[in-house]
Amino acid sequence: MTDLTGKTAFVTGSVQGIGLAVAEALAGAGARVAVHGLASEAEGAAVARALEEKGATEAKFFAGDMRDPDAIAQLCAAVETWGPVDILVNNAGIQHTAALADMPRETWDAIVAVNLSAAFHTMQAIMPGMAARGFGRVVNIASVHGIVASKNKAPYVAAKFGLVGLSRVAALEYADAGSRQSGGVTVNCIAPGWTETAIIEPQVAERAAKFGGDRDRGVADLLSEKQPSKRTSDPAEIGALALWLCARVAHNVTGTVIPVDGGWTAQ
């Protein structure tokens, strides 16, 4: 059901964390994978080789600054030249916590650019080709903060709410592209809660400091505040969901936001 042999996937921010886990899941299903992220050419090439070992037909690293629309245009053109993109996963993201009154202007601009505007630019560049071929999957990695808000995260919350809205608009505009037989073109968001990635480490460290540096107690403190399951997610679990959304049988699953949050947003 999830054989992606012959499909090309482009995963932004895929050298670590959720993005890497998604890339690994797609590689395991036989996709060609365009790797991207904050890494040197050597580091990116190493990730690409590891993905090929996991089953990717081919994998290649592409660099590009997701804050810069011109750089994104060049990045998308390079990836599409390597192989027309069938699966686009917008995962690249940055975070900074500070009160609204203290949030630096340049930090606002950077977070909104990477977490929201970059997805607009990649989707605008790549989705028309998907529609022309009758198959495409866009999976945008949003967040519980695209559904509910938290203090001290104004630009992140604004960007993730915007990403959910952008995804729904695109889902509607491309809903009738392709067919059941071809697979159609879908756009969905995955909204992780607390997940074991580098992006949460500053918050974990802040909480751990309350307990003499005990990381486990810091994580437990974070979970008790928001996530009823009191369990973090593993990035591979997000990868497994992204893989299913790419299956042909998911042709009518579009415009959705799927939380993976242990009940956080059910409250």
Side-chain angles (χ1 to χ4, degrees), residues 32-254:
R32 300 172 77 238
V33 183
V35 180
H36 164 270
L38 296 175
S40 67
E41 288 291 336
E43 291 167 337
V47 172
R49 287 194 299 272
L51 291 175
E52 290 177 348
E53 291 172 0
K54 288 184 177 292
T57 308
E58 186 180 5
K60 184 177 179 180
F61 176 69
F62 295 84
D65 186 346
M66 304 309 282
R67 299 169 298 179
D68 181 353
D70 291 334
I72 294 170
Q74 293 171 9
L75 170 64
C76 290
V79 174
E80 289 261 81
T81 298
W82 181 65
V85 174
D86 303 295
I87 297 163
L88 170 63
V89 181
N90 282 303
N91 168 76
I94 56 175
Q95 168 68 295
H96 178 76
T97 56
L100 181 66
D102 300 325
M103 187 69 69
R105 181 187 301 174
E106 61 272 16
T107 300
W108 167 276
D109 290 343
I111 290 175
V112 172
V114 174
N115 293 6
L116 174 58
S117 297
F120 166 78
H121 295 304
T122 59
M123 291 164 69
Q124 187 179 56
I126 289 170
M127 291 193 71
M130 292 178 171
R133 295 187 296 275
F135 177 87
R137 296 290 185 266
V138 179
V139 180
N140 290 327
I141 307 300
S143 167
V144 290
H145 287 116
I147 303 171
V148 295
S150 292
K151 294 179 180 178
N152 300 325
K153 297 181 181 180
Y156 189 79
V157 170
K160 293 301 187 180
F161 265 75
L163 184 60
V164 169
L166 168 65
S167 301
R168 286 174 169 161
V169 170
L172 291 173
E173 291 187 1
Y174 285 88
D176 62 352
S179 64
R180 180 187 290 120
Q181 288 71 33
S182 71
V185 178
T186 68
V187 186
N188 294 286
C189 287
I190 298 176
W194 293 119
T195 305
E196 291 284 350
T197 65
I199 201 169
I200 72 166
E201 283 305 315
Q203 296 168 80
V204 170
E206 182 180 351
R207 295 300 181 98
K210 294 166 52 178
F211 304 101
D214 187 324
R215 186 182 186 277
D216 290 341
R217 291 185 68 185
V219 170
D221 192 48
L222 280 173
L223 290 169
S224 66
E225 188 177 283
K226 301 280 190 179
Q227 198 145 306
S229 68
K230 298 182 181 179
R231 300 187 299 271
T232 57
S233 294
D234 186 276
E237 296 157 12
I238 311 301
L241 175 56
L243 175 60
W244 184 84
L245 288 171
C246 293
R248 196 175 301 275
V249 295
H251 68 95
N252 258 342
V253 181
T254 194

